Amino acid sequence: PGGDDGSAKEVRPDDEAESSSREDGPDVVRVGALINDVQQLDLQSHSYNVDMYMWFKWDNPDINPARSFEFLNAFEFWGHIISYETSTPQKLPDGSYLQVFRNQGKFNTKLPLERYPFDTQHLTVELEDSVGDESDIVYRPDTDPVTLSRGLTIPGWEIGEPTMEIVSNRYDSNFGDPRTKDITYSRAVIDLPLTRPSGTYSLKLLLPMLLVALTAVLALAVHPKYVEGRIAVGITALLTLVALQITSNSSLPEVDYLILLDKLYILSYAFVVATMGMIVRNSWVDAKGNVEAAIRADRRGLAFLVGAYVVAATLVMVFTLT
């Protein structure tokens, strides 16, 4: 990992780190952030653009953590614009130092889609010092560490309460130095949760699928003698479902698992195919001259298929969302 200037993270051998560490412990650096805006949330690249102010507060005049930090999950390092409010740290009345800067740039984190379109995404910004490990610098959340700009909105999402967590990060590498091991760094993780409005996405994505499936099963309400028309309804519904799924997934990345929307489409495919199978079976009953028996079978089949579809869809959603 490198610093803002592209330099490699400085890793010191254990004996040097022990001899150079201060007797009074590491410097405590308080971290805070104000999120101005979030733009260009792209599920396909798992990236998002964040415009925010950040600040560091510390006591040791010999360090400047606002110059030595690095973003760990920056999507494009070259695309980040950092502008400092002051050229040098400001000394506060309590004797501590403060430096504020503004960062605009893209970040990246893997966005899980198992629950799509009822998913909650966590947009994170992760940073740690590029030089000092936990024996030198330890991050702590400042008072009211993460706030949102008044009026901040993200179209298509409901914004949750942002948080900041400080974790100890140990790299599974000695960076080529066999004398170095078990070096940990203090990492600040800013988390902004976003949730899709369930009612809106149900109408936009699930209602069309439900209407197509129910239209297909209504073919069982047509008189059995119109077998060609009944089968045509089922085939049309099947092709429509395929087109709807392709359109719905066009804005999503390729993943190696089934999302909730995929499971519901597969269930709808099975529902339509079962409907067509029942149409064919009852058509043979009608062909044998037993029209009343075919009509009764159609009615029983319609009630059974609709009930089974609703129960199965409910179970799929419950098991996926819990």
Side-chain angles (χ1 to χ4, degrees):
D4 293 337
D5 58 356
S7 59
K9 183 183 288 293
E10 179 183 338
V11 181
R12 297 174 301 172
D14 292 340
D15 54 352
E16 294 180 11
E18 183 177 356
S19 62
S20 61
S21 62
R22 293 174 302 281
E23 296 180 356
D24 56 350
D27 290 306
V28 175
V29 177
R30 296 174 292 281
V31 185
L34 168 66
I35 300 177
N36 283 326
D37 198 8
V38 176
Q39 302 171 338
Q40 300 175 6
L41 175 54
D42 186 358
L43 294 178
Q44 289 190 331
S45 62
H46 300 271
S47 65
Y48 40 92
N49 192 298
V50 180
D51 175 10
M52 64 180 179
Y53 286 95
M54 293 196 67
W55 61 87
F56 292 91
K57 294 165 65 176
W58 69 96
D59 297 324
N60 186 356
D62 297 327
I63 65 172
N64 187 349
R67 298 285 182 175
S68 60
F69 84 97
E70 62 175 334
F71 290 119
L72 276 299
N73 64 327
F75 184 70
E76 297 168 335
F77 282 102
W78 58 266
H80 280 253
I81 302 175
I82 298 178
S83 55
Y84 290 89
E85 297 296 296
T86 56
S87 58
T88 59
Q90 302 298 298
K91 192 170 184 179
L92 301 178
D94 62 0
S96 63
Y97 294 88
L98 167 70
Q99 183 130 40
V100 182
F101 63 92
R102 183 177 183 177
N103 175 83
Q104 296 173 294
K106 276 191 174 183
F107 293 89
N108 171 271
T109 191
K110 298 302 181 288
L111 304 175
L113 297 172
E114 290 91 346
R115 298 184 174 191
Y116 181 87
F118 304 116
D119 52 321
T120 297
Q121 302 298 342
H122 293 267
L123 309 187
T124 62
V125 174
E126 303 179 16
L127 62 146
E128 66 183 35
D129 198 83
S130 62
V131 177
D133 57 37
E134 284 190 321
S135 65
D136 300 312
I137 291 177
V138 175
Y139 287 151
R140 292 288 183 267
D142 197 14
T143 305
D144 196 12
V146 187
T147 55
L148 302 176
S149 290
R150 186 173 303 175
L152 172 62
T153 59
I154 304 176
W157 297 90
E158 296 175 350
I159 304 176
E161 188 69 24
T163 60
M164 177 184 293
E165 181 184 10
I166 307 300
V167 298
S168 294
N169 177 53
R170 181 176 67 85
Y171 288 96
D172 296 325
S173 173
N174 59 10
F175 299 98
D177 190 343
R179 301 169 298 171
T180 303
K181 62 179 180 180
D182 296 332
I183 300 296
T184 59
Y185 290 82
S186 185
R187 176 178 295 188
V189 180
I190 300 172
D191 182 359
L192 178 63
L194 302 179
T195 304
R196 297 181 194 274
S198 57
T200 301
Y201 279 87
S202 295
L203 291 175
K204 292 173 63 176
L205 297 177
L206 302 186
L207 183 60
M209 174 179 59
L210 178 63
L211 291 178
V212 172
L214 292 180
T215 299
V217 79
L218 286 178
L220 290 171
V222 179
H223 196 280
K225 69 178 181 179
Y226 302 112
V227 59
E228 294 87 356
R230 302 208 307 171
I231 292 178
V233 171
I235 294 175
T236 302
L238 198 61
L239 294 176
T240 304
L241 284 175
V242 173
L244 284 174
Q245 185 179 21
I246 293 174
T247 303
S248 300
N249 291 345
S250 60
S251 61
L252 301 178
E254 295 292 337
V255 293
D256 59 351
Y257 52 83
L258 291 177
I259 64 176
L260 173 59
L261 191 62
D262 290 333
K263 296 176 183 178
L264 293 176
Y265 269 110
I266 291 174
L267 179 61
S268 298
Y269 293 147
F271 176 70
V272 174
V273 170
T275 299
M276 294 179 65
M278 191 163 293
I279 289 173
V280 172
R281 173 189 175 277
N282 294 343
S283 297
W284 280 102
V285 174
D286 177 56
K288 295 178 180 179
N290 198 342
V291 178
E292 293 300 325
I295 293 176
R296 288 194 300 270
D298 281 343
R299 293 174 178 174
R300 289 194 300 267
L302 191 153
F304 171 77
L305 287 175
V306 171
Y309 181 67
V310 172
V311 172
T314 302
L315 291 176
V316 167
M317 295 183 66
V318 168
F319 283 115
T320 303
L321 298 178
T322 57

